Amino acid sequence: MIEDSFPPLNSTFLVPFRYTVHFTKDIFSPTNHCLSEFFVSEKKEGSTKKALVVIDQGLLVHNPDLVSKVRSYFKGLDSFVQLTEDIMVIPGGEDCKNDPKVWESLVDAVDRYGIDRHSYIIAVGGGAILDLVGYVAAISHRGIRLVRIPTTVLSQNDSGVGVKNGINYQGKKNFLGSFAPPVAVFNDLLFLESLDDRDWRSGMAEAIKVALIKDKDFFLWIESNAEALRNRDLEKMSYLVHTCAKLHMDHIAKGDPFEFGSSRPLDFGHWAAHKLEYLTNFSLRHGEAVAIGMALDSEYSFRIQFLPEGDRNRILSLLKEIGFSLYHPKLSEGEKKNLYLGLQEFREHLGGKLTIMLLHGIGIAKEVHEIDLKTLSSAVDFLEENL
Amino acid sequence: MIEDSFPPLNSTFLVPFRYTVHFTKDIFSPTNHCLSEFFVSEKKEGSTKKALVVIDQGLLVHNPDLVSKVRSYFKGLDSFVQLTEDIMVIPGGEDCKNDPKVWESLVDAVDRYGIDRHSYIIAVGGGAILDLVGYVAAISHRGIRLVRIPTTVLSQNDSGVGVKNGINYQGKKNFLGSFAPPVAVFNDLLFLESLDDRDWRSGMAEAIKVALIKDKDFFLWIESNAEALRNRDLEKMSYLVHTCAKLHMDHIAKGDPFEFGSSRPLDFGHWAAHKLEYLTNFSLRHGEAVAIGMALDSEYSFRIQFLPEGDRNRILSLLKEIGFSLYHPKLSEGEKKNLYLGLQEFREHLGGKLTIMLLHGIGIAKEVHEIDLKTLSSAVDFLEENL
């Protein structure tokens, strides 16, 4: 038999990734060298690198001169990186991930301007723009160098410093996407000043999440500074962003960066949040939905005697003090059937058995593989009645 | 200044990949356990895995019962993997990579059948189908488990055992794609028997290529067996496929699997081949174009005194004995301007300085960063006049 003559061939290899997240203020100011030094350091003999810049339209309200500021910034850098003729300005928010025409306009720009694998796409904006542009960068020429400049709390401390991208397809969130680390990230704190209160607040949900599952000291710090954070203290917020980004990045680098396994520890509070975002037609911000999801899973953790009562009280108090609502009527809609469906969808999303992260204490997470629906229901009722 | 207070955060990690290429014959025969054992070995507690099978329509000419054979094969395997209701049959060849509708029909199937990240897409066919299906698998849910069953010499010894996928966009070959290793590959030698002579032959170009740049002994073996290979000896072909696949996989695993750098040693003979395929509107098979490209770069290597005359003669003789033409009129068209343009496009494709692999001897490759157009022109003229 022929099949006996040829042994199987095994291929085993490790692919190295490396990127740096920089923290700065007013990145496109002529006196700020953070970004220019990056391009100078990337210079290679004999190559001409181009850069296509994509800017979130929403930024222009508070930064009307942003496009011309970007152009001026790159003027002296021609021998290191050349901007394309156009800077693209596209509307941000979830809608940009829904419309295939926006995706296509970006791919066309990559083609038109001859952006090759060693050139750059620089995305400036919130999480949705970064997801979309990251996806375009990942699949064009099998991967163009992506530089992210996240401009919201959520993208600076969570999604923008991670390794995922994606767009929606036929209404399915992140149905198309990939794991593709950026080559560099620049968190510009100045952009946070012009966020509206909802965006300022909702980005903090992921910081509370990562504190709850990984770092009690960070939780204590957020507790002590809750009032200042709510009142838009930029120094405190910078510390929160830096610490959350660090915990998030450490988790990725030390864990399973491309999520080959089924465990998803960073998804604490997220199963209900995903469903709520969908049920509210995304009128809830991601962080607002995550805050409710964390309240629910903390309350559930308490009710199944995982989480001590004192810890549960502190968690719910902190979420309220930051300014989050901890209940939404959609949780109970249809005798909670929609919520239960959310559990099932989360299991399908994981592609294996149900795995839900709960809390044994502040900073102590533990996975479970089943959820008691009666207890879950009573936890929802508690949130409705008390919060 | 705020930027002074927060140090940059570095993320450095290695992502592990592992897959096995199996060699078998008549893979869907009820008595062949090669594929079923793979699925049994992948079984995980508490999960239900599905599989969407996509078959190259061209295979049905010689294997009219293939779809029902596949169905029967999976019947006893329900507790390990469940086939979706439909098996998809799509036309193969380069056209399937050009038509966005074909791509969309596959993504829709992933959605419709609820294929999740831990389920499978099994692609059965030639290189184009594998590229297309691999791309769909890579970007759906950020990556579905891909099983390749390559059915041509070229895909069994080269593209199908590697880590790339892609589709064409607006006529640009592989403009969209990614690096995404499969979870397993099954080379079924029986499919090779029904290839037409051109496909049988053209797949051998990549074996000669990898021998020329990496393995003189393999070149000697191909020389000694050229007549049998041309005359469709399946045993000899199996050895050629196995050896070529091994060299190709070793190169990927030990080198730069996701091609972060600019060096592309496996692209010997390919810069002219890419241009010729395009100029002939893909009427030349990839391997036929690569054979001409290798003849050209060997002749050039000889003319710039890299390659000894004896080695050059043996290379050109072997290519001819296998049955390749070593010249195409498109090489000279427009006073060779199109060919020169191909060099420039290849440089742009690499995204840096021009890097062309030439030969110092059989099995000894060496990169150069410039090509003398007069010498190149004389090499083309030699091929036209002598071959």
Side-chain angles (χ1 to χ4, degrees), chain A residues 157 201 203-215 218-219 222-223 229 240 244 268 290-291 294 315 318-320 322 324 359 362:
Chain A
N157 71 10
R201 181 171 53 236
M204 288 190 273
E206 300 288 352
I208 296 172
K209 176 203 74 180
V210 81
L212 283 174
I213 60 176
K214 288 189 175 277
D215 190 336
F218 185 35
F219 183 86
I222 302 174
E223 257 187 341
L229 287 165
L240 178 139
C244 180
F268 174 64
V290 168
M294 290 193 292
I315 296 168
L318 175 62
L319 289 169
K320 280 195 284 187
I322 291 288
F324 287 114
L359 298 179
I362 291 168

PDB file of all heavy atoms in Angstrom, chain A residues 157 201 203-215 218-219 222-223 229 240 244 268 290-291 294 315 318-320 322 324 359 362:
ATOM      1  N   ASN A 157      -7.767  51.332  26.722  1.00  0.00           N
ATOM      2  CA  ASN A 157      -7.417  50.416  27.818  1.00  0.00           C
ATOM      3  C   ASN A 157      -7.754  48.962  27.506  1.00  0.00           C
ATOM      4  O   ASN A 157      -7.422  48.075  28.268  1.00  0.00           O
ATOM      5  CB  ASN A 157      -8.058  50.866  29.146  1.00  0.00           C
ATOM      6  CG  ASN A 157      -9.563  50.683  29.220  1.00  0.00           C
ATOM      7  OD1 ASN A 157     -10.156  50.048  28.358  1.00  0.00           O
ATOM      8  ND2 ASN A 157     -10.180  51.256  30.246  1.00  0.00           N
ATOM      9  N   ARG A 201     -17.367  57.354  30.849  1.00  0.00           N
ATOM     10  CA  ARG A 201     -17.716  56.393  31.900  1.00  0.00           C
ATOM     11  C   ARG A 201     -17.641  54.951  31.402  1.00  0.00           C
ATOM     12  O   ARG A 201     -17.081  54.080  32.059  1.00  0.00           O
ATOM     13  CB  ARG A 201     -19.127  56.685  32.397  1.00  0.00           C
ATOM     14  CG  ARG A 201     -19.600  55.755  33.510  1.00  0.00           C
ATOM     15  CD  ARG A 201     -20.920  56.244  34.089  1.00  0.00           C
ATOM     16  NE  ARG A 201     -21.921  56.441  33.054  1.00  0.00           N
ATOM     17  CZ  ARG A 201     -22.584  57.589  32.836  1.00  0.00           C
ATOM     18  NH1 ARG A 201     -22.367  58.650  33.581  1.00  0.00           N
ATOM     19  NH2 ARG A 201     -23.463  57.677  31.849  1.00  0.00           N
ATOM     20  N   GLY A 203     -16.054  53.328  29.226  1.00  0.00           N
ATOM     21  CA  GLY A 203     -14.752  52.690  29.047  1.00  0.00           C
ATOM     22  C   GLY A 203     -14.190  52.113  30.338  1.00  0.00           C
ATOM     23  O   GLY A 203     -13.353  51.206  30.318  1.00  0.00           O
ATOM     24  N   MET A 204     -14.657  52.653  31.475  1.00  0.00           N
ATOM     25  CA  MET A 204     -14.134  52.172  32.759  1.00  0.00           C
ATOM     26  C   MET A 204     -14.645  50.780  33.129  1.00  0.00           C
ATOM     27  O   MET A 204     -14.081  50.122  34.020  1.00  0.00           O
ATOM     28  CB  MET A 204     -14.470  53.174  33.864  1.00  0.00           C
ATOM     29  CG  MET A 204     -13.644  54.460  33.752  1.00  0.00           C
ATOM     30  SD  MET A 204     -13.837  55.526  35.208  1.00  0.00           S
ATOM     31  CE  MET A 204     -15.295  56.477  34.752  1.00  0.00           C
ATOM     32  N   ALA A 205     -15.711  50.337  32.459  1.00  0.00           N
ATOM     33  CA  ALA A 205     -16.252  49.011  32.778  1.00  0.00           C
ATOM     34  C   ALA A 205     -15.186  47.921  32.608  1.00  0.00           C
ATOM     35  O   ALA A 205     -15.072  47.007  33.431  1.00  0.00           O
ATOM     36  CB  ALA A 205     -17.476  48.715  31.902  1.00  0.00           C
ATOM     37  N   GLU A 206     -14.384  48.008  31.542  1.00  0.00           N
ATOM     38  CA  GLU A 206     -13.382  46.965  31.307  1.00  0.00           C
ATOM     39  C   GLU A 206     -12.263  47.024  32.357  1.00  0.00           C
ATOM     40  O   GLU A 206     -11.652  46.005  32.668  1.00  0.00           O
ATOM     41  CB  GLU A 206     -12.790  47.074  29.893  1.00  0.00           C
ATOM     42  CG  GLU A 206     -13.799  46.928  28.756  1.00  0.00           C
ATOM     43  CD  GLU A 206     -14.337  45.504  28.559  1.00  0.00           C
ATOM     44  OE1 GLU A 206     -13.832  44.563  29.209  1.00  0.00           O
ATOM     45  OE2 GLU A 206     -15.283  45.342  27.764  1.00  0.00           O
ATOM     46  N   ALA A 207     -12.010  48.218  32.886  1.00  0.00           N
ATOM     47  CA  ALA A 207     -10.996  48.340  33.943  1.00  0.00           C
ATOM     48  C   ALA A 207     -11.505  47.659  35.216  1.00  0.00           C
ATOM     49  O   ALA A 207     -10.767  46.922  35.882  1.00  0.00           O
ATOM     50  CB  ALA A 207     -10.671  49.808  34.195  1.00  0.00           C
ATOM     51  N   ILE A 208     -12.785  47.900  35.546  1.00  0.00           N
ATOM     52  CA  ILE A 208     -13.360  47.235  36.722  1.00  0.00           C
ATOM     53  C   ILE A 208     -13.367  45.721  36.502  1.00  0.00           C
ATOM     54  O   ILE A 208     -13.044  44.944  37.399  1.00  0.00           O
ATOM     55  CB  ILE A 208     -14.782  47.783  36.993  1.00  0.00           C
ATOM     56  CG1 ILE A 208     -14.686  49.278  37.339  1.00  0.00           C
ATOM     57  CG2 ILE A 208     -15.470  46.987  38.101  1.00  0.00           C
ATOM     58  CD1 ILE A 208     -16.034  49.986  37.441  1.00  0.00           C
ATOM     59  N   LYS A 209     -13.692  45.318  35.275  1.00  0.00           N
ATOM     60  CA  LYS A 209     -13.698  43.888  34.972  1.00  0.00           C
ATOM     61  C   LYS A 209     -12.339  43.249  35.212  1.00  0.00           C
ATOM     62  O   LYS A 209     -12.227  42.234  35.916  1.00  0.00           O
ATOM     63  CB  LYS A 209     -14.098  43.669  33.500  1.00  0.00           C
ATOM     64  CG  LYS A 209     -14.026  42.214  33.087  1.00  0.00           C
ATOM     65  CD  LYS A 209     -13.855  42.075  31.589  1.00  0.00           C
ATOM     66  CE  LYS A 209     -12.425  42.433  31.181  1.00  0.00           C
ATOM     67  NZ  LYS A 209     -12.200  42.325  29.736  1.00  0.00           N
ATOM     68  N   VAL A 210     -11.305  43.823  34.652  1.00  0.00           N
ATOM     69  CA  VAL A 210      -9.993  43.195  34.748  1.00  0.00           C
ATOM     70  C   VAL A 210      -9.493  43.242  36.201  1.00  0.00           C
ATOM     71  O   VAL A 210      -8.818  42.323  36.680  1.00  0.00           O
ATOM     72  CB  VAL A 210      -9.017  43.816  33.707  1.00  0.00           C
ATOM     73  CG1 VAL A 210      -8.441  45.131  34.179  1.00  0.00           C
ATOM     74  CG2 VAL A 210      -7.925  42.850  33.316  1.00  0.00           C
ATOM     75  N   ALA A 211      -9.891  44.287  36.943  1.00  0.00           N
ATOM     76  CA  ALA A 211      -9.563  44.345  38.375  1.00  0.00           C
ATOM     77  C   ALA A 211     -10.269  43.203  39.112  1.00  0.00           C
ATOM     78  O   ALA A 211      -9.661  42.499  39.920  1.00  0.00           O
ATOM     79  CB  ALA A 211      -9.979  45.693  38.954  1.00  0.00           C
ATOM     80  N   LEU A 212     -11.550  43.002  38.813  1.00  0.00           N
ATOM     81  CA  LEU A 212     -12.330  41.965  39.508  1.00  0.00           C
ATOM     82  C   LEU A 212     -11.773  40.568  39.287  1.00  0.00           C
ATOM     83  O   LEU A 212     -11.780  39.739  40.191  1.00  0.00           O
ATOM     84  CB  LEU A 212     -13.799  42.002  39.046  1.00  0.00           C
ATOM     85  CG  LEU A 212     -14.641  43.124  39.649  1.00  0.00           C
ATOM     86  CD1 LEU A 212     -16.036  43.151  39.011  1.00  0.00           C
ATOM     87  CD2 LEU A 212     -14.761  42.934  41.166  1.00  0.00           C
ATOM     88  N   ILE A 213     -11.301  40.292  38.056  1.00  0.00           N
ATOM     89  CA  ILE A 213     -10.843  38.924  37.798  1.00  0.00           C
ATOM     90  C   ILE A 213      -9.353  38.722  38.057  1.00  0.00           C
ATOM     91  O   ILE A 213      -8.893  37.598  38.190  1.00  0.00           O
ATOM     92  CB  ILE A 213     -11.192  38.461  36.358  1.00  0.00           C
ATOM     93  CG1 ILE A 213     -10.541  39.375  35.316  1.00  0.00           C
ATOM     94  CG2 ILE A 213     -12.697  38.407  36.144  1.00  0.00           C
ATOM     95  CD1 ILE A 213     -10.760  38.917  33.881  1.00  0.00           C
ATOM     96  N   LYS A 214      -8.589  39.838  38.178  1.00  0.00           N
ATOM     97  CA  LYS A 214      -7.136  39.649  38.238  1.00  0.00           C
ATOM     98  C   LYS A 214      -6.401  40.441  39.303  1.00  0.00           C
ATOM     99  O   LYS A 214      -5.269  40.109  39.615  1.00  0.00           O
ATOM    100  CB  LYS A 214      -6.520  40.055  36.890  1.00  0.00           C
ATOM    101  CG  LYS A 214      -6.824  39.083  35.794  1.00  0.00           C
ATOM    102  CD  LYS A 214      -6.033  39.389  34.548  1.00  0.00           C
ATOM    103  CE  LYS A 214      -6.271  38.335  33.511  1.00  0.00           C
ATOM    104  NZ  LYS A 214      -5.436  37.138  33.674  1.00  0.00           N
ATOM    105  N   ASP A 215      -6.948  41.526  39.806  1.00  0.00           N
ATOM    106  CA  ASP A 215      -6.087  42.423  40.569  1.00  0.00           C
ATOM    107  C   ASP A 215      -6.880  43.202  41.620  1.00  0.00           C
ATOM    108  O   ASP A 215      -7.413  44.273  41.350  1.00  0.00           O
ATOM    109  CB  ASP A 215      -5.386  43.374  39.574  1.00  0.00           C
ATOM    110  CG  ASP A 215      -4.292  44.196  40.229  1.00  0.00           C
ATOM    111  OD1 ASP A 215      -4.348  44.404  41.462  1.00  0.00           O
ATOM    112  OD2 ASP A 215      -3.382  44.644  39.503  1.00  0.00           O
ATOM    113  N   PHE A 218      -5.933  46.882  42.271  1.00  0.00           N
ATOM    114  CA  PHE A 218      -6.439  47.825  41.277  1.00  0.00           C
ATOM    115  C   PHE A 218      -7.915  48.155  41.588  1.00  0.00           C
ATOM    116  O   PHE A 218      -8.346  49.309  41.490  1.00  0.00           O
ATOM    117  CB  PHE A 218      -6.282  47.229  39.867  1.00  0.00           C
ATOM    118  CG  PHE A 218      -6.647  48.152  38.740  1.00  0.00           C
ATOM    119  CD1 PHE A 218      -6.416  49.526  38.798  1.00  0.00           C
ATOM    120  CD2 PHE A 218      -7.212  47.631  37.564  1.00  0.00           C
ATOM    121  CE1 PHE A 218      -6.743  50.363  37.730  1.00  0.00           C
ATOM    122  CE2 PHE A 218      -7.541  48.463  36.500  1.00  0.00           C
ATOM    123  CZ  PHE A 218      -7.309  49.823  36.583  1.00  0.00           C
ATOM    124  N   PHE A 219      -8.655  47.138  42.039  1.00  0.00           N
ATOM    125  CA  PHE A 219     -10.045  47.384  42.443  1.00  0.00           C
ATOM    126  C   PHE A 219     -10.085  48.403  43.588  1.00  0.00           C
ATOM    127  O   PHE A 219     -10.876  49.348  43.569  1.00  0.00           O
ATOM    128  CB  PHE A 219     -10.717  46.071  42.860  1.00  0.00           C
ATOM    129  CG  PHE A 219     -12.173  46.235  43.220  1.00  0.00           C
ATOM    130  CD1 PHE A 219     -13.166  46.183  42.247  1.00  0.00           C
ATOM    131  CD2 PHE A 219     -12.558  46.467  44.542  1.00  0.00           C
ATOM    132  CE1 PHE A 219     -14.510  46.356  42.583  1.00  0.00           C
ATOM    133  CE2 PHE A 219     -13.904  46.639  44.881  1.00  0.00           C
ATOM    134  CZ  PHE A 219     -14.878  46.579  43.895  1.00  0.00           C
ATOM    135  N   ILE A 222      -9.469  51.834  42.296  1.00  0.00           N
ATOM    136  CA  ILE A 222     -10.638  52.413  41.609  1.00  0.00           C
ATOM    137  C   ILE A 222     -11.676  52.851  42.648  1.00  0.00           C
ATOM    138  O   ILE A 222     -12.246  53.947  42.556  1.00  0.00           O
ATOM    139  CB  ILE A 222     -11.269  51.412  40.606  1.00  0.00           C
ATOM    140  CG1 ILE A 222     -10.230  50.968  39.559  1.00  0.00           C
ATOM    141  CG2 ILE A 222     -12.467  52.045  39.884  1.00  0.00           C
ATOM    142  CD1 ILE A 222     -10.725  49.874  38.604  1.00  0.00           C
ATOM    143  N   GLU A 223     -11.879  52.013  43.678  1.00  0.00           N
ATOM    144  CA  GLU A 223     -12.817  52.381  44.759  1.00  0.00           C
ATOM    145  C   GLU A 223     -12.430  53.729  45.377  1.00  0.00           C
ATOM    146  O   GLU A 223     -13.273  54.610  45.542  1.00  0.00           O
ATOM    147  CB  GLU A 223     -12.774  51.321  45.863  1.00  0.00           C
ATOM    148  CG  GLU A 223     -13.946  50.360  45.877  1.00  0.00           C
ATOM    149  CD  GLU A 223     -13.918  49.448  47.117  1.00  0.00           C
ATOM    150  OE1 GLU A 223     -12.843  49.312  47.756  1.00  0.00           O
ATOM    151  OE2 GLU A 223     -14.966  48.868  47.425  1.00  0.00           O
ATOM    152  N   LEU A 229     -12.807  59.889  39.325  1.00  0.00           N
ATOM    153  CA  LEU A 229     -12.965  59.311  37.990  1.00  0.00           C
ATOM    154  C   LEU A 229     -14.301  59.725  37.378  1.00  0.00           C
ATOM    155  O   LEU A 229     -14.376  60.089  36.209  1.00  0.00           O
ATOM    156  CB  LEU A 229     -12.875  57.776  38.057  1.00  0.00           C
ATOM    157  CG  LEU A 229     -11.464  57.227  38.308  1.00  0.00           C
ATOM    158  CD1 LEU A 229     -11.521  55.753  38.720  1.00  0.00           C
ATOM    159  CD2 LEU A 229     -10.581  57.394  37.058  1.00  0.00           C
ATOM    160  N   LEU A 240      -5.750  54.843  35.341  1.00  0.00           N
ATOM    161  CA  LEU A 240      -6.689  53.731  35.103  1.00  0.00           C
ATOM    162  C   LEU A 240      -6.438  53.091  33.739  1.00  0.00           C
ATOM    163  O   LEU A 240      -6.356  51.865  33.600  1.00  0.00           O
ATOM    164  CB  LEU A 240      -8.140  54.226  35.209  1.00  0.00           C
ATOM    165  CG  LEU A 240      -9.214  53.175  34.925  1.00  0.00           C
ATOM    166  CD1 LEU A 240     -10.384  53.316  35.910  1.00  0.00           C
ATOM    167  CD2 LEU A 240      -9.738  53.260  33.498  1.00  0.00           C
ATOM    168  N   CYS A 244      -5.069  49.285  33.308  1.00  0.00           N
ATOM    169  CA  CYS A 244      -5.971  48.343  32.636  1.00  0.00           C
ATOM    170  C   CYS A 244      -5.321  47.793  31.365  1.00  0.00           C
ATOM    171  O   CYS A 244      -5.363  46.587  31.105  1.00  0.00           O
ATOM    172  CB  CYS A 244      -7.292  49.048  32.313  1.00  0.00           C
ATOM    173  SG  CYS A 244      -8.475  47.986  31.480  1.00  0.00           S
ATOM    174  N   PHE A 268     -15.504  38.042  31.434  1.00  0.00           N
ATOM    175  CA  PHE A 268     -16.352  38.161  32.625  1.00  0.00           C
ATOM    176  C   PHE A 268     -17.421  39.236  32.379  1.00  0.00           C
ATOM    177  O   PHE A 268     -17.128  40.339  31.924  1.00  0.00           O
ATOM    178  CB  PHE A 268     -15.514  38.540  33.855  1.00  0.00           C
ATOM    179  CG  PHE A 268     -16.358  38.824  35.075  1.00  0.00           C
ATOM    180  CD1 PHE A 268     -17.128  37.815  35.649  1.00  0.00           C
ATOM    181  CD2 PHE A 268     -16.415  40.093  35.633  1.00  0.00           C
ATOM    182  CE1 PHE A 268     -17.927  38.073  36.757  1.00  0.00           C
ATOM    183  CE2 PHE A 268     -17.201  40.363  36.735  1.00  0.00           C
ATOM    184  CZ  PHE A 268     -17.968  39.350  37.296  1.00  0.00           C
ATOM    185  N   VAL A 290     -21.658  45.879  29.690  1.00  0.00           N
ATOM    186  CA  VAL A 290     -20.738  45.061  30.491  1.00  0.00           C
ATOM    187  C   VAL A 290     -20.947  45.333  31.983  1.00  0.00           C
ATOM    188  O   VAL A 290     -20.902  44.405  32.807  1.00  0.00           O
ATOM    189  CB  VAL A 290     -19.268  45.320  30.079  1.00  0.00           C
ATOM    190  CG1 VAL A 290     -18.294  44.705  31.083  1.00  0.00           C
ATOM    191  CG2 VAL A 290     -18.993  44.767  28.676  1.00  0.00           C
ATOM    192  N   ALA A 291     -21.226  46.583  32.345  1.00  0.00           N
ATOM    193  CA  ALA A 291     -21.478  46.910  33.760  1.00  0.00           C
ATOM    194  C   ALA A 291     -22.693  46.119  34.260  1.00  0.00           C
ATOM    195  O   ALA A 291     -22.651  45.527  35.349  1.00  0.00           O
ATOM    196  CB  ALA A 291     -21.694  48.409  33.923  1.00  0.00           C
ATOM    197  N   MET A 294     -21.735  42.461  34.526  1.00  0.00           N
ATOM    198  CA  MET A 294     -20.896  42.177  35.707  1.00  0.00           C
ATOM    199  C   MET A 294     -21.739  42.197  36.979  1.00  0.00           C
ATOM    200  O   MET A 294     -21.534  41.384  37.885  1.00  0.00           O
ATOM    201  CB  MET A 294     -19.768  43.201  35.818  1.00  0.00           C
ATOM    202  CG  MET A 294     -18.717  43.037  34.729  1.00  0.00           C
ATOM    203  SD  MET A 294     -17.204  43.980  35.074  1.00  0.00           S
ATOM    204  CE  MET A 294     -17.793  45.668  34.927  1.00  0.00           C
ATOM    205  N   ILE A 315     -18.840  45.527  45.031  1.00  0.00           N
ATOM    206  CA  ILE A 315     -18.842  45.561  43.547  1.00  0.00           C
ATOM    207  C   ILE A 315     -20.027  46.383  43.040  1.00  0.00           C
ATOM    208  O   ILE A 315     -19.880  47.295  42.223  1.00  0.00           O
ATOM    209  CB  ILE A 315     -18.888  44.129  42.964  1.00  0.00           C
ATOM    210  CG1 ILE A 315     -17.616  43.362  43.355  1.00  0.00           C
ATOM    211  CG2 ILE A 315     -19.059  44.171  41.447  1.00  0.00           C
ATOM    212  CD1 ILE A 315     -17.686  41.867  43.077  1.00  0.00           C
ATOM    213  N   LEU A 318     -19.576  50.098  43.816  1.00  0.00           N
ATOM    214  CA  LEU A 318     -18.601  50.792  42.965  1.00  0.00           C
ATOM    215  C   LEU A 318     -19.189  51.070  41.586  1.00  0.00           C
ATOM    216  O   LEU A 318     -19.062  52.175  41.052  1.00  0.00           O
ATOM    217  CB  LEU A 318     -17.312  49.962  42.823  1.00  0.00           C
ATOM    218  CG  LEU A 318     -16.287  50.561  41.845  1.00  0.00           C
ATOM    219  CD1 LEU A 318     -15.825  51.937  42.321  1.00  0.00           C
ATOM    220  CD2 LEU A 318     -15.087  49.647  41.661  1.00  0.00           C
ATOM    221  N   LEU A 319     -19.855  50.065  41.020  1.00  0.00           N
ATOM    222  CA  LEU A 319     -20.438  50.264  39.683  1.00  0.00           C
ATOM    223  C   LEU A 319     -21.427  51.438  39.708  1.00  0.00           C
ATOM    224  O   LEU A 319     -21.457  52.271  38.796  1.00  0.00           O
ATOM    225  CB  LEU A 319     -21.143  48.979  39.206  1.00  0.00           C
ATOM    226  CG  LEU A 319     -20.214  47.812  38.827  1.00  0.00           C
ATOM    227  CD1 LEU A 319     -21.009  46.518  38.643  1.00  0.00           C
ATOM    228  CD2 LEU A 319     -19.432  48.133  37.543  1.00  0.00           C
ATOM    229  N   LYS A 320     -22.222  51.502  40.807  1.00  0.00           N
ATOM    230  CA  LYS A 320     -23.178  52.611  40.907  1.00  0.00           C
ATOM    231  C   LYS A 320     -22.466  53.948  41.096  1.00  0.00           C
ATOM    232  O   LYS A 320     -22.865  54.962  40.517  1.00  0.00           O
ATOM    233  CB  LYS A 320     -24.149  52.355  42.078  1.00  0.00           C
ATOM    234  CG  LYS A 320     -25.269  51.384  41.687  1.00  0.00           C
ATOM    235  CD  LYS A 320     -26.414  51.396  42.677  1.00  0.00           C
ATOM    236  CE  LYS A 320     -26.013  50.631  43.938  1.00  0.00           C
ATOM    237  NZ  LYS A 320     -27.158  50.470  44.879  1.00  0.00           N
ATOM    238  N   ILE A 322     -19.564  54.858  40.074  1.00  0.00           N
ATOM    239  CA  ILE A 322     -18.964  55.314  38.812  1.00  0.00           C
ATOM    240  C   ILE A 322     -20.051  55.934  37.921  1.00  0.00           C
ATOM    241  O   ILE A 322     -19.780  56.779  37.071  1.00  0.00           O
ATOM    242  CB  ILE A 322     -18.266  54.121  38.097  1.00  0.00           C
ATOM    243  CG1 ILE A 322     -17.018  53.680  38.869  1.00  0.00           C
ATOM    244  CG2 ILE A 322     -17.934  54.450  36.656  1.00  0.00           C
ATOM    245  CD1 ILE A 322     -15.839  54.625  38.795  1.00  0.00           C
ATOM    246  N   PHE A 324     -22.873  53.859  36.643  1.00  0.00           N
ATOM    247  CA  PHE A 324     -23.550  52.877  35.783  1.00  0.00           C
ATOM    248  C   PHE A 324     -24.951  52.526  36.301  1.00  0.00           C
ATOM    249  O   PHE A 324     -25.166  52.436  37.518  1.00  0.00           O
ATOM    250  CB  PHE A 324     -22.748  51.564  35.724  1.00  0.00           C
ATOM    251  CG  PHE A 324     -21.489  51.670  34.910  1.00  0.00           C
ATOM    252  CD1 PHE A 324     -20.248  51.552  35.513  1.00  0.00           C
ATOM    253  CD2 PHE A 324     -21.555  51.879  33.541  1.00  0.00           C
ATOM    254  CE1 PHE A 324     -19.078  51.643  34.754  1.00  0.00           C
ATOM    255  CE2 PHE A 324     -20.399  51.973  32.782  1.00  0.00           C
ATOM    256  CZ  PHE A 324     -19.155  51.855  33.393  1.00  0.00           C
ATOM    257  N   LEU A 359     -17.073  34.900  40.024  1.00  0.00           N
ATOM    258  CA  LEU A 359     -16.137  35.405  41.028  1.00  0.00           C
ATOM    259  C   LEU A 359     -16.231  34.623  42.337  1.00  0.00           C
ATOM    260  O   LEU A 359     -17.325  34.347  42.823  1.00  0.00           O
ATOM    261  CB  LEU A 359     -16.428  36.885  41.327  1.00  0.00           C
ATOM    262  CG  LEU A 359     -16.274  37.876  40.171  1.00  0.00           C
ATOM    263  CD1 LEU A 359     -16.618  39.278  40.655  1.00  0.00           C
ATOM    264  CD2 LEU A 359     -14.868  37.839  39.598  1.00  0.00           C
ATOM    265  N   ILE A 362     -13.138  39.350  45.205  1.00  0.00           N
ATOM    266  CA  ILE A 362     -12.613  40.424  44.353  1.00  0.00           C
ATOM    267  C   ILE A 362     -11.191  40.071  43.956  1.00  0.00           C
ATOM    268  O   ILE A 362     -10.345  39.831  44.827  1.00  0.00           O
ATOM    269  CB  ILE A 362     -12.691  41.767  45.102  1.00  0.00           C
ATOM    270  CG1 ILE A 362     -14.168  42.173  45.242  1.00  0.00           C
ATOM    271  CG2 ILE A 362     -11.909  42.842  44.364  1.00  0.00           C
ATOM    272  CD1 ILE A 362     -14.413  43.323  46.199  1.00  0.00           C
TER     273      ILE A 362
END
